[in-house]
Amino acid sequence: MRNLVSPQEWQLRVDLAACYRLTALYGWSDLIFTHISAKLPDDGSGKEKFLINPYGLFFDEMTASDLLVVDLEGTLQGPARGNVNRAGFVIHSTVHAARPDVQCVLHTHSKAGVAVSIQEDGLLRLSQQSTLILHSLAYHDYQGVAVHDAERASLVGDLGHREYMILRNHGLLTASRSIAEAFMAMYLLESACQIQLAAQGSPRLRQVTDEVLSEVEDTVRIMEASAPVSRSELAWPGLLRRLDRLNPGYAQ
């Protein structure tokens, strides 16, 4: 596959395959039933396309060559070994079509994520991790398995321009400007959910005040605007080194 695509597409394939394997390594995968997608650069065809997993492969065995190219109408492009799950296509194509600023969409069914999605109050302001998320967190009500086009409008409306989404009774989603950012966003959201569940074993919980929450939001905006390198850019090379030690072979 490397000889059949541009260098830019190959690098995206390598990073996306790594993201799949890291998602499995951190325990967020659900056998074959969730998806991570990455928008491809404009190739002059007039069609927006993205990479996504073939239905049936486990996340920890994904390689750069395995990934499929699909357009926003659901048509597979180029050499295709496998098919795309309809539910995954509906969610990911909807976000990519509505959000030109988003390169990567990461969706999980982790136990902690689903557990918090079931709670009426959703993600609580209990931890530093949650305070870094709440300003950009959306919720989407469960409407059954996401295979129907009728759900697209409400999904887009609920997400808006936010980066994090809790899909009620379903799971978690991040929509970010790069693959590294989507993974780091999911790491933060998943951590906040795990911390909340652990804390709820106590009868009394101390939540962050409105004043502190507002201060954190302002601080995050200032730090992101002034930082020469983002947190995800700093962490991603280390994550790849860890993957090379524990589960190499994704860049094939």
Side-chain angles (χ1 to χ4, degrees):
M1 180 62 73
R2 182 170 190 168
N3 296 327
L4 300 177
V5 301
S6 69
Q8 293 84 356
E9 178 175 333
W10 181 251
Q11 186 58 57
L12 274 177
R13 285 175 171 271
V14 170
D15 284 337
L16 187 56
C19 190
Y20 272 99
R21 293 200 185 198
L22 285 165
T23 298
L25 182 65
Y26 279 82
W28 312 334
S29 62
D30 183 20
L31 298 179
I32 62 171
F33 299 109
T34 59
H35 311 273
I36 315 170
S37 61
K39 181 170 62 176
L40 287 168
D42 183 5
D43 61 2
S45 67
K47 283 183 175 268
E48 188 169 326
K49 304 168 189 174
F50 60 91
L51 295 166
I52 198 167
N53 52 314
Y55 197 28
L57 279 185
F58 279 25
F59 281 23
D60 63 356
E61 60 186 357
M62 199 70 64
T63 70
S65 297
D66 288 326
L67 294 161
L68 302 178
V69 178
V70 63
D71 65 22
L72 295 181
E73 287 73 49
T75 304
L76 289 171
Q77 307 288 311
R81 295 179 293 180
N83 296 299
V84 177
N85 180 17
R86 171 67 182 172
F89 170 75
V90 169
I91 292 173
H92 289 256
S93 64
T94 298
V95 176
H96 284 299
R99 292 282 301 274
D101 60 311
V102 167
Q103 183 187 58
C104 183
V105 180
L106 201 170
H107 171 45
T108 64
H109 296 162
S110 68
K111 291 180 177 64
V114 175
V116 171
S117 80
I118 294 168
Q119 296 185 10
E120 188 63 39
D121 292 330
L123 187 66
L124 304 175
R125 51 178 75 179
L126 295 174
S127 63
Q128 176 169 275
Q129 286 81 354
S130 66
T131 66
L132 298 173
I133 290 168
L134 289 170
H135 71 285
S136 190
L137 177 63
Y139 290 87
H140 177 66
D141 285 342
Y142 188 61
Q143 301 177 33
V145 180
V147 296
H148 305 295
D149 289 336
E151 190 171 350
R152 291 178 182 270
S154 61
L155 182 63
V156 168
D158 291 337
L159 180 61
H161 292 285
R162 299 176 185 89
E163 185 173 12
Y164 307 88
M165 175 174 270
I166 292 179
L167 301 157
R168 292 290 194 179
N169 310 94
H170 183 176
L172 307 177
L173 182 144
T174 57
S176 306
R177 296 171 298 180
S178 71
I179 294 168
E181 285 192 14
F183 182 85
M184 290 301 298
M186 185 58 73
Y187 180 84
L188 194 61
L189 180 53
E190 175 69 24
S191 296
C193 290
Q194 291 182 16
I195 291 166
Q196 178 166 318
L197 294 179
Q200 286 172 326
S202 170
R204 300 181 64 189
L205 301 177
R206 179 186 292 271
Q207 296 208 45
V208 174
T209 64
D210 289 340
E211 181 182 4
V212 172
L213 182 62
S214 178
E215 181 181 342
V216 170
E217 292 172 3
D218 291 341
T219 300
V220 169
R221 280 192 287 269
I222 292 170
M223 289 175 62
E224 289 179 346
S226 60
V229 180
S230 70
R231 291 175 299 169
S232 60
E233 290 175 303
L234 284 171
W236 188 248
L239 287 163
L240 295 183
R241 291 193 300 272
R242 172 172 290 177
L243 195 57
D244 287 335
R245 293 192 300 272
L246 299 176
N247 188 8
Y250 57 92
Q252 296 178 0

